[in-house]
């Protein structure tokens, strides 16, 4: 089953409560929240307080993408705030197993993500411990970029290895790129500018299901 996780990074930060309600009414399956720390990636967005605030505005799962250094220091805060899935970046951590256990013990689903230049080999030994793998299809940090087509090969390889794993793609998903992502085996689709850039959000979300 294809799940669509709109990224609120492309939304109006002055009214994110309304934005998530609107996405829920438009058929979104979860809400993708991009947490950036100004270190792992240049911009700073928001932290656990925003997760806690939006938790009160939707029943949809909150899909929290941590683009931060030392995620282990913040995971409990995000779990307590109401995150349903916490995805950290493999590049930020030496001991993946410890972080995965930490997230699971908090009763939250765990995702691991890799940047476009990080090889799948780096995480192959731990993907079976995760609920989801996020293959970044752009360099993390900004919405509205073009998908890097070489990243799709990682989706294909991973799908061949893990038939039932949730494989998420994030970055540059639009009318031109969705087909190739789905065909390679992605089943959790993040989209920011594609959804927020159109008047009919419901139609955009539906189109991402292939
Ligand atoms: C980028 C973020 C993405 C971003 C995607 O670092 O992880 O979630 O919002 O934006 P689009 O869909 O516009 O490429
Ligand atoms: Zn993201």
């Amino acid at each position: 089953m294809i799940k669509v996780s709109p990224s609120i990074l492309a939304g109006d930060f002055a009214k994110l409560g309304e934005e998530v309600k609107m996405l829920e009414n438009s058929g979104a399956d979860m809400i993708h929240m991009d947490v950036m720390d100004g270190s792992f990636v240049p911009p700073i967005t928001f932290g656990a307080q925003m997760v806690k605030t939006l938790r009160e505005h939707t029943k949809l799962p909150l899909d929290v993408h941590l683009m931060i250094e030392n995620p282990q220091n913040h995971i409990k805060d995000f779990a307590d705030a109401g995150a349903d899935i916490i995805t950290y970046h493999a590049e930020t951590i030496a001991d993946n197993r410890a972080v995965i256990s930490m997230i699971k013990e908090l009763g939250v689903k765990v995702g691991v993500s890799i940047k476009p230049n990080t090889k799948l080999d780096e995480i192959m030994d731990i993907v079976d411990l995760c609920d989801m793998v996020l293959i970044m299809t752009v360099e993390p940090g900004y919405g509205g970029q073009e998908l890097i087509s070489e990243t799709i090969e990682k989706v294909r390889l991973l799908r061949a290895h893990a038939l039932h794993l949730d494989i998420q793609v994030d970055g540059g998903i639009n009318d031109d790129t969705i087909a190739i992502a789905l065909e390679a085996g992605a089943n959790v689709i993040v989209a920011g500018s594609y959804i927020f850039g159109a008047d009919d959000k419901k139609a955009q979300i539906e189109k991402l299901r292939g």
Side-chain angles (χ1 to χ4, degrees), residues 98-163:
V99 178
I100 291 168
S101 304
M102 183 188 286
I103 297 173
K104 283 187 170 173
E105 278 163 23
L106 291 162
V108 176
K109 287 188 176 172
V110 55
V112 62
S113 180
I114 51 174
K115 299 203 282 185
N117 289 331
T118 303
K119 294 201 164 48
L120 200 52
D121 283 351
E122 302 284 332
I123 55 164
M124 230 32 206
D125 60 330
I126 50 117
V127 295
D128 291 336
L129 302 173
C130 298
D131 297 290
M132 186 171 83
V133 173
L134 164 54
I135 304 290
M136 284 304 295
T137 42
V138 297
E139 279 301 329
Y142 304 93
Q145 303 181 76
E146 230 174 85
L147 180 139
I148 300 167
S149 55
E150 289 76 17
T151 59
I152 294 295
E153 199 45 37
K154 289 192 273 189
V155 175
R156 201 182 303 283
L157 284 170
L158 184 57
R159 179 55 76 209
H161 164 89
L163 287 183

Side-chain angles (χ1 to χ4, degrees), residues 182-196:
L182 292 175
E183 184 267 330
N187 70 312
V188 187
I189 310 299
V190 177
S193 45
Y194 177 75
I195 293 172
F196 281 94

Side-chain angles (χ1 to χ4, degrees), residues 5-10 32-36 41 65 67 89 134 136-147 169-174 190-195:
S5 189
S7 167
I8 56 162
L9 188 62
H32 187 80
M33 300 186 68
D34 288 304
V35 177
M36 305 188 190
V41 289
H65 178 193
M67 284 163 275
H89 267 267
L134 164 54
M136 284 304 295
T137 42
V138 297
E139 279 301 329
Y142 304 93
Q145 303 181 76
E146 230 174 85
L147 180 139
V169 285
D170 182 8
I173 298 294
N174 57 34
V190 177
S193 45
Y194 177 75
I195 293 172

Side-chain angles (χ1 to χ4, degrees), residues 8 16-24 31 54 57-58:
I8 56 162
L16 286 181
E18 290 165 44
E19 300 279 51
V20 296
K21 209 71 243 139
M22 174 276 292
L23 292 167
E24 185 169 344
I31 301 292
L54 293 188
H57 290 264
T58 181

Side-chain angles (χ1 to χ4, degrees), residues 10-81:
D12 181 343
F13 273 38
K15 50 172 189 177
L16 286 181
E18 290 165 44
E19 300 279 51
V20 296
K21 209 71 243 139
M22 174 276 292
L23 292 167
E24 185 169 344
N25 293 334
S26 303
D29 297 290
M30 44 183 133
I31 301 292
H32 187 80
M33 300 186 68
D34 288 304
V35 177
M36 305 188 190
D37 68 349
S39 179
F40 180 67
V41 289
I44 297 175
T45 54
F46 48 74
Q49 181 61 45
M50 183 63 88
V51 174
K52 190 170 180 220
T53 302
L54 293 188
R55 180 72 288 166
E56 289 160 25
H57 290 264
T58 181
K59 292 199 165 48
L60 291 180
L62 297 177
D63 163 34
V64 176
H65 178 193
L66 296 182
M67 284 163 275
I68 64 174
E69 302 286 358
N70 298 309
Q72 72 281 1
N73 296 347
H74 304 279
I75 279 161
K76 186 167 187 312
D77 285 350
F78 283 96
D80 290 348

